[in-house]
Every structure is written in C-alpha cells, then in structure tokens.
C-alpha cells in the first residue's frame, strides 16, 4: 500500500482524508463513525434501497415499467425466467416501497395494471446516471 492519501484507517486510529470524503459525508448526512453498528447499517435506508435494487428481477421490472404501464401477464411474458410468484413478490416489494402503483380493473377476471409512481420515476434519474457510469467504465 502506498504512503499517499488512501483514506484507509491507520493502526494508530487516524484516517487520511480521502479527496471525496465530502461526498460521502453529504451522502450519509455527516461523517461515519469509526465503527458502524450493525443495527445502524441494517436500519439505513440506503442499505435497504441497494438491497432492493440488487434483487435479481427488480431493475428489469423497473425498466419495463419505465416504458409504460403493464398488466401482470404482460410483464410475466416479457421477463423470461421469472415465476408468477417471484413477479408478484417483486411487484409487492416495489409497491411497498412506493415505487410502483397497482390498479385493479373491475373486469372478469379482474385486470391488474402496474405503473411507476412519481417516486419511481424520480428513481430513474440516479439509475440512468449509474447506467451511464457503468457503460463509460466498461468502455474505458
């Protein structure tokens, strides 16, 4: 390891300030403690969101709903390999997080349509920025 500005804690307890430390501080609302308690990490909304987005099907479902509203069976046909149970769980989790809304139509059988909420549409902005970063990074 170099003797430069690494941001890695030293054995004596002090840490070199990383040039981007202000961005981390802004993202987490201040400086992280020297030791992050498990319960604080688990309660963190960023942790929850990253886990949710890291789910196998969530990003794909979000991207499909970004195109337009979809009925359940239409989503099921468009996502190769997902079971009905898993699609239901994914959509319920997105609905619980306020990213997707569910509308039931009084038909026989009842039709159900899913679409992104305003909050879900807002999430597309940082997701697009992340996707752009990934494409640029892979091209480099």
């Amino acid at each position: 390891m170099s003797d430069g500005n690494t941001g890695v804690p030293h054995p004596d307890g002090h840490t070199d300030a990383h040039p981007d430390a202000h961005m981390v501080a802004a993202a987490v609302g201040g400086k992280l403690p020297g030791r992050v308690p498990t319960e604080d990490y688990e309660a963190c909304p960023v942790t929850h969101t990253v886990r949710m987005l890291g789910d196998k099907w969530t990003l794909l479902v979000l991207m499909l709903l970004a195109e337009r509203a979809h009925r359940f069976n239409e989503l099921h046909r468009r996502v190769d390999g997902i079971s009905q149970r898993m699609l239901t769980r994914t959509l319920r989790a997105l609905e619980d997080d306020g990213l997707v809304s569910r509308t039931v139509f009084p038909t026989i059988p009842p039709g159900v349509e899913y679409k992104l909420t305003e909050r879900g549409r807002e999430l597309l902005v940082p997701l697009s920025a992340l996707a752009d970063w990934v494409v640029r990074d892979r091209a480099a």
Side-chain angles (χ1 to χ4, degrees), residues 61 65 72 75 87-95 100 114:
V61 169
L65 293 175
F72 181 88
L75 277 172
L87 180 56
T88 298
R89 290 178 64 185
T90 300
L91 289 166
R92 281 189 186 148
L94 291 169
E95 191 177 0
V100 169
Y114 295 89

Side-chain angles (χ1 to χ4, degrees), residues 68-76 105 107 109-114:
R68 60 181 169 75
H70 283 71
R71 297 261 176 142
F72 181 88
N73 286 333
E74 183 181 20
L75 277 172
H76 189 242
F105 296 98
T107 58
V112 180
E113 183 179 81
Y114 295 89

Side-chain angles (χ1 to χ4, degrees), residues 111-122:
V112 180
E113 183 179 81
Y114 295 89
K115 69 178 182 178
L116 290 181
T117 61
E118 184 59 34
R119 185 167 186 253
R121 292 219 166 274
E122 289 173 3

Side-chain angles (χ1 to χ4, degrees), residues 3 5 15 18 30 34 37 47 56-58 63 75 79 83 88 96-97 103 105 117 121-122 124 132 138:
D3 291 323
N5 187 2
T15 304
H18 189 276
T47 300
K56 182 174 182 177
W57 304 108
T58 298
M63 294 301 106
L75 277 172
V79 182
S83 67
T88 298
D96 289 346
D97 286 333
T103 304
F105 296 98
T117 61
R121 292 219 166 274
E122 289 173 3
L124 296 177
D132 291 344
R138 294 250 176 188

